[in-house]
């Protein structure tokens, strides 16, 4: 049945780009694609009046008789240069390779592993790194190697070098700090720029740093939250990808905040990872453009 | 200062269109606009895989030296015909003319009047129609004529004819039923197709018909809501534009539901009206495409 | 250290009661407890003006030198009889025994197992029952027996008898239908009255029955939800314990609804189970009083 | 008809109290009331394990043949002294006298006036004070005197003295800063301790001080909010009563934040005022106990 064969080999790509905003960008990009007979299934763009930058994300299908990704890229180069674009064609057939880092809290890890094993999060997880041995069993049950890399103040440089070596060796696309309770060195932050997502257990910028739920309790807030952001050298100041909140009241103890927070953190982190691997997030200075559905 | 004169006379248009989805629509539209040197400030589109329909909303500026809206329309006709589009160029300088219909509950009315008088809802309100005299004072304080058109079962046909005559005479673009407690006749529904928005005080399709908060209370739901939708001959079955919800618990009486509902209804209806007048809503069968921000 | 011994052996009880509302109930109950020197840590009550019923939940500590639960019950009987109460003293040291029933969807199961294994849901799970063999591995990894009890129309009576025998033999306190895709017979519903919780994947009473997400998509709603309720012979009409919602828009397919729904369902079901095992839910006709925090 | 006469003259009181937590408080209070044959319609309490404080709010009816409020107070004094209570009997027949202060933004004012004129907020508003003349017309249309009290750095002391004199003369129970864009002096804050509610247009403690929506936009948050709190000498650090949030994304400008914020601020402030006048809020150090429904 040729139809279904053709369908099976139809490729889906995501083009992301940003550049200074001006007349004709959408026309140039869409004319280029339609000129190849390519069908766009989803497209979103945004012009930031404040920064004068333009952002676009376009999803399209290419049938076997249409140009390869290399050919598409080659042809696109001219347009990209004309507009001074930062741009990438992403092949959705290639699963992003995600390294998860954890300490002892396992709710985000459990949630990510569940989405991974059921295919709802289409990623590969070549390794989980932890500074504690505790979570090895559940990780290994998923068939994922568990790297126990303990860290003290004295061994931090070496441990981070080992982490970075692993990231390089395993060709990791994205590092996810799933309640990894260590502050990364500025060097590691820089090395992982825009490819390392952290979940902070507060509604940033409120309650940066340690024990945010206890800080929130002491302040007497009526809503608590969690924030997923890219990691930068500035602690808890990186570009925010996603936030979530939940209402609480005076009867909740700090321990209750922690319990409720587990659910918020898991969902917020999973969404941020999903947005990232679906190439929905584009950098805009210290902020993000997130082309949500 | 020529710069600011030019800015003052820059026109902003919204183009909305829908047609069967195929290759090249975005390219054709955006090339047409950029070919005139026109700057697109906002654009969103959606291809519905289920219905095979494509929807687009594009906002753009035109400077005084660029083509008039009539010229733009004339030039666009060829593209529209090629793709079989339903399409409109909307001039944002022309305020939509909105007729509000109310009975005795005034929370939605008060909210709409507030947004109208502060300019946050850029509309004209040439008239308010009511089947009760009660709300004349607040409406007239806003300088808006209040038409008291009582209705009984026997006088319904005549009253609706008067309403329709008013709508025609005042060249009304949109009718808003802001808790108008009368069921419109099928004829009036048809006459106002896709230009009459109702607020129903339940989370549709739950609790259609009369006294939805009392129905919700009897059922013991834990969340209540409100729904803004286009009016059709099928009671409470029209295309949904916007919905909102609020958590309640066992301590809330039906009267409490009513009180809380006032806040939900006001916000949901105001949003729906805003989406409509900003041309963010496009018909998709019995459903709506809403290009929210 | 006597202090910590005493602390270790301090017992915590939950008293739940309901009766016709009248003067003096709170006084009688609290005087009885304080007369024994007992410290109340949490108390909530509710008088339903509509039904004329009164509901109370009181949490208190009893030190080793204070009366045993049997003595407390014996002394309380007089008060209970005076007011015609339905009442129970629950010992929080005894973990509720929960039977989970599933088919093939495992998101709610995974979530409940996670909360169980981390202790955040203080229950015992003596068995998981399924009409499919698929989920045996993950259940057994948690050290929980997996009972594969297939069912067809012809074998339904026998399968339900086997389920009920298991429930009796294992002294099950609560049955949780964690996306068990079978309609229970009226007989089984009756046998499990007020001790069987189902998660329905819609915002009830909207979209009862099969494929609610597809129904919701066809209707074009802007918010979807899930509902946890006690099972009764009336399909999807049982007393609601908890509901949750999430905003969606026109770009979401029915499959997207299913994916988003997994997160809502998991959280809503977990909350309902938690409310139930903490004795926060009291029957009020076909509705529930839920003493949330 | 004696029944309805009796009903008409039934009084409803709210008793609020706080004290060190210990055995027997609920018993003492409820026995006292039931000893007078008094029917409790609503009661909530909370023991704060952290501070060791106990809080209670009890609503009850008293028929004409039952003791007067003075008699009830006199009889209660002994219990209050025994437990060292801070306590008040509030007569719900007496409407709280609320002074509203505004500058130029009128959305909170409009919302409060609407709830006032429809009776949904059962208060008296003997005066509105503003440092600008702009909002006189709408206030006076409601039959409320408008006090235009301009303020500069040099005249601040005098203006605040005038405000305070007005508060005293009009026997004001609660001052509501409904977007009053002036920082009160420490002296005025102290004078209005626990009886002055401010709405801050951010999700505190994020974005204290000026232009919070612009701060939020610069930080790139994905959710914005508003906070109603009691005013203290510590700017934006007072006890929080209520908070609300709304999701935004990268397409929203600071002006959009302001527009969306208007809806959040109005609802959050109205709720806080309602909680206060229904005596649902009790001080707990720098935090609040809010006995919501």
């Amino acid at each position: 049945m040729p139809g279904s064969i053709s369908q099976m080999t139809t490729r889906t790509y995501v083009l992301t780009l940003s550049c200074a905003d001006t007349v004709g960008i959408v026309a140039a990009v869409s004319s280029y694609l339609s000129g190849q007979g390519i069908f766009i299934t989803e497209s979103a763009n945004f012009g930031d009046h404040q920064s004068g930058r333009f952002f676009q994300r376009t999803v399209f299908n290419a049938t076997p008789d249409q140009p390869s990704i290399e050919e598409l890229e080659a042809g696109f180069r001219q347009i990209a240069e004309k507009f001074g674009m930062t741009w990438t064609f992403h092949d959705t057939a290639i699963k992003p390779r995600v390294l998860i880092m954890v300490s002892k809290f396992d709710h985000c890890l459990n949630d990510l592993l569940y989405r991974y094993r059921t295919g709802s999060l289409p990623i590969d997880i070549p390794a989980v790194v932890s500074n504690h041995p505790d979570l090895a069993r559940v990780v290994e049950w998923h068939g994922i190697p568990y790297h126990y890399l303990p860290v003290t103040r004295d061994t931090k440089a070496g441990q981070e070098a080992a982490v970075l070596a692993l990231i390089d060796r395993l060709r990791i696309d994205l590092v996810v700090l799933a309640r990894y309770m260590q502050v990364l060195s500025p060097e590691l932050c820089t090395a992982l720029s825009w490819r390392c997502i952290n979940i902070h257990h507060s509604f940033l910028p409120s309650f940066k740093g340690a024990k945010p739920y206890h800080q929130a309790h002491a302040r007497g807030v009526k809503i608590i939250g969690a924030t997923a952001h890219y990691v930068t050298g500035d602690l808890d100041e990186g570009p925010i990808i996603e936030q979530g909140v939940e209402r609480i009241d005076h009867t909740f103890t700090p321990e209750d905040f922690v319990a409720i927070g587990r659910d918020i953190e898991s969902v917020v982190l999973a969404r941020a990872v999903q947005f990232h691997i679906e190439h929905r997030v584009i950098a805009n200075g210290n902020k993000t453009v997130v082309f949500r559905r």
Side-chain angles (χ1 to χ4, degrees), chain A:
Chain A
M1 214 173 80
S4 63
I5 285 171
S6 152
Q7 199 173 26
M8 283 176 61
T9 54
T10 289
R11 299 153 288 149
T12 300
Y13 298 114
V14 179
L15 168 62
T16 54
L17 63 89
S18 63
C19 59
D21 202 355
T22 185
V23 170
I25 305 171
V26 172
V29 174
S30 55
S31 298
Y32 172 71
L33 292 174
S34 69
Q36 322 270 356
I38 278 173
F39 186 74
I40 295 174
T41 57
E42 201 183 329
S43 189
N45 58 61
F46 167 61
D48 183 349
H49 303 307
Q50 210 167 52
S51 69
R53 301 286 298 173
F54 176 85
F55 306 85
Q56 185 168 333
R57 175 185 183 267
T58 297
V59 186
F60 60 92
N61 295 333
T63 51
D65 54 308
Q66 287 173 334
S68 71
I69 190 165
E70 291 78 16
E71 290 167 322
L72 285 170
E73 287 172 339
F76 191 73
R77 196 148 290 132
Q78 204 179 347
I79 296 166
E81 277 168 14
K82 178 181 166 196
F83 290 100
M85 290 174 178
T86 303
W87 60 286
T88 314
F89 282 86
H90 309 269
D91 185 343
T92 63
I94 301 171
K95 285 189 183 173
R97 298 171 65 79
V98 176
L99 180 93
I100 299 177
M101 298 183 73
V102 285
S103 293
K104 289 184 166 184
F105 297 119
D106 64 350
H107 50 283
C108 287
L109 174 70
N110 180 68
D111 183 79
L112 291 172
L113 290 178
Y114 175 74
R115 294 174 201 268
Y116 158 75
R117 93 172 179 252
T118 55
S120 87
L121 204 55
I123 56 174
D124 280 333
I125 305 180
V128 169
V129 165
S130 180
N131 57 330
H132 293 284
D134 308 49
L135 303 176
R137 187 172 166 255
V138 69
V139 169
E140 288 167 356
W141 184 77
H142 285 83
I144 300 168
Y146 187 83
H147 297 257
Y148 167 41
L149 297 175
V151 62
T152 64
R153 207 194 307 182
D154 292 342
T155 64
K156 181 161 181 165
Q159 194 252 18
E160 289 200 344
V163 169
L164 203 49
L166 196 65
I167 288 168
D168 287 345
R169 182 164 62 78
L170 297 175
R171 290 170 291 110
I172 294 303
D173 296 301
L174 177 68
V175 174
V176 175
L177 307 186
R179 296 300 307 272
Y180 180 66
M181 309 303 280
Q182 295 289 320
V183 177
L184 303 192
S185 70
E187 295 72 32
L188 191 53
C189 290
T190 303
L192 299 179
S193 179
W194 292 99
R195 55 176 183 137
C196 178
I197 296 175
N198 181 50
I199 181 74
H200 184 73
H201 41 312
S202 86
F203 187 77
L204 287 175
S206 289
F207 312 125
K208 297 176 209 172
K211 289 195 162 284
Y213 290 131
H214 291 75
Q215 293 181 51
H217 190 265
R219 180 61 186 92
V221 295
K222 300 300 184 187
I223 295 177
I224 58 171
T227 304
H229 64 93
Y230 288 108
V231 171
T232 63
D234 235 346
L235 186 65
D236 299 331
E237 289 283 3
I240 294 171
I241 305 168
E242 174 67 341
Q243 300 187 289
V245 291
E246 195 70 47
R247 184 171 280 278
I248 49 84
D249 69 29
H250 58 270
T251 65
F252 291 74
T253 63
E255 291 68 38
D256 293 327
F257 282 24
V258 169
I260 289 164
R262 282 195 289 262
D263 290 343
I264 318 175
E265 294 162 34
S266 300
V267 167
V268 167
L269 180 59
R271 277 192 197 147
V273 171
Q274 185 131 18
F275 294 158
H276 180 95
I277 65 158
E278 292 179 357
H279 313 293
R280 295 181 178 279
V281 190
I282 307 184
N284 183 17
N286 192 44
K287 304 201 289 185
T288 61
V289 170
V290 182
F291 290 116
R292 295 171 70 101
R293 318 270 312 276

